[in-house]
Amino acid sequence: MTTPKTNKSLDLVHPCYNPHPGWAEDLIRHYTLFMSRIPTDVVVHMYVVDDGSKHGVHSEDIDQLQQAIPHFTFIPLSQNLGKGGALRHAIRQSQGDLVIYTDADYPYKMENAWEMYQRLAVGNADVVVGVRDEQYYDQLPFRRKIFSLSLKLMNYLFFPGLKVKDTQSGLKGFNAKGKALFLKTTISAFLFDMEFLVLVSKQKDIQMEWIYVQVREGIHFSTMKPRTILTELFNFASILIRGFFSK
């Protein structure tokens, strides 16, 4: 792989909602491991956005993060916006040359985050997207697995121009051009990822690359509620309609 161009600042953006006990210690451990292979001349700023948590986020957690991470910003939201809304709120405040976002519990292997940084730092890609391997789907609860695979199939059927059909991986990165597109998304729930990639695929001047990502050991997936599935189907229809009329 080409040697990265250094001196590019990087923002790590992590949404959280009702995190598990000990989440701050875990996040510090993930950050320390990530930094172990990042060039020392790269300034890395971490943003944690709390999406209106009802429990799990305490002042002691934030103090611990501020003491352990040299460049750290905590963004508390008074109400739950949804993952898409929370990420837009945080990324709008970010100032780095590059942005990588993933959940605060780092659900994917660290090798995936390192590779994503490498791809972005080289400068050949404006957007780098994680694509989940087949083992990922084997670990999902039944309802969530059916929804994820169905969404992937619907992307093939209704969005043939999508450069990546697995739109919902929670690990993505981009430069300033990608950031500008990301901030044009409007969906607050999970399909903001898909909306973003639809926008990316329509831009001929945006260079996108993808990498395979693997779930790390110890990650447990929650099941999807029927109401959530209905909301996401509505969002899919909304993206489809807007895509049709914007042709």
Side-chain angles (χ1 to χ4, degrees), residues 106-113 115 130-136 139 169 171 211-217 219 221:
Y106 272 75
Y108 299 100
K109 292 182 178 180
M110 192 57 69
E111 288 81 0
N112 304 146
E115 183 179 2
V131 173
R132 299 165 295 186
D133 62 14
E134 294 305 317
Q135 291 182 345
Y136 168 86
Q139 302 175 62
S169 163
L171 179 63
I211 62 172
Y212 273 122
V213 297
Q214 298 83 32
V215 176
R216 67 177 179 83
E217 293 184 6
I219 291 295
F221 297 95

Side-chain angles (χ1 to χ4, degrees), residues 4-201:
K5 302 173 184 177
T6 56
N7 292 316
K8 286 187 176 181
S9 54
L10 170 67
D11 290 338
L12 299 174
V13 183
H14 303 306
C16 72
Y17 178 69
N18 295 340
H20 64 277
W23 70 275
E25 292 92 336
D26 289 343
L27 183 54
I28 291 170
R29 186 173 68 255
H30 296 316
Y31 165 82
T32 302
L33 180 58
F34 176 78
M35 292 298 295
S36 68
R37 289 177 53 178
I38 301 301
T40 56
D41 61 346
V42 176
V43 176
V44 179
H45 194 124
M46 180 186 290
Y47 293 79
V48 171
V49 53
D50 173 25
D51 191 18
S53 294
K54 297 179 180 178
H55 58 78
V57 178
H58 307 287
S59 58
E60 295 83 359
D61 298 320
I62 308 309
D63 290 342
Q64 189 175 5
L65 289 164
Q66 289 175 334
Q67 292 173 14
I69 299 172
H71 306 284
F72 176 81
T73 298
F74 177 62
I75 304 174
L77 301 180
S78 58
Q79 61 181 358
N80 179 255
L81 298 182
K83 188 175 179 180
L87 276 171
R88 278 193 298 274
H89 189 87
I91 289 173
R92 194 173 286 115
Q93 298 183 38
S94 67
Q95 300 180 3
D97 300 312
L98 306 173
V99 174
I100 292 177
Y101 71 78
T102 193
D103 292 343
D105 62 352
Y106 272 75
Y108 299 100
K109 292 182 178 180
M110 192 57 69
E111 288 81 0
N112 304 146
W114 287 327
E115 183 179 2
M116 181 162 287
Y117 166 74
Q118 292 275 334
R119 296 287 188 100
L120 289 168
V122 167
N124 295 331
D126 302 304
V127 177
V128 180
V129 178
V131 173
R132 299 165 295 186
D133 62 14
E134 294 305 317
Q135 291 182 345
Y136 168 86
Y137 297 99
D138 294 336
Q139 302 175 62
L140 293 179
F142 179 75
R143 191 181 293 163
R144 188 165 177 171
K145 179 178 181 178
I146 293 300
F147 177 80
S148 295
L149 291 174
S150 298
L151 180 61
K152 192 173 179 180
L153 175 61
M154 289 190 295
N155 285 339
Y156 275 102
L157 293 175
F158 296 104
F159 292 97
L162 265 177
K163 297 178 181 179
V164 171
K165 299 302 188 291
D166 177 22
T167 59
Q168 299 312 114
S169 163
L171 179 63
K172 291 183 175 65
F174 39 75
N175 61 13
K177 289 173 67 175
K179 175 181 175 179
L181 275 183
F182 183 86
L183 293 178
K184 290 183 178 180
T185 62
T186 59
I187 289 176
S188 295
F190 293 109
L191 284 195
F192 74 92
D193 278 310
M194 178 187 170
E195 183 184 18
F196 173 51
L197 292 187
V198 168
L199 292 174
V200 169
S201 296

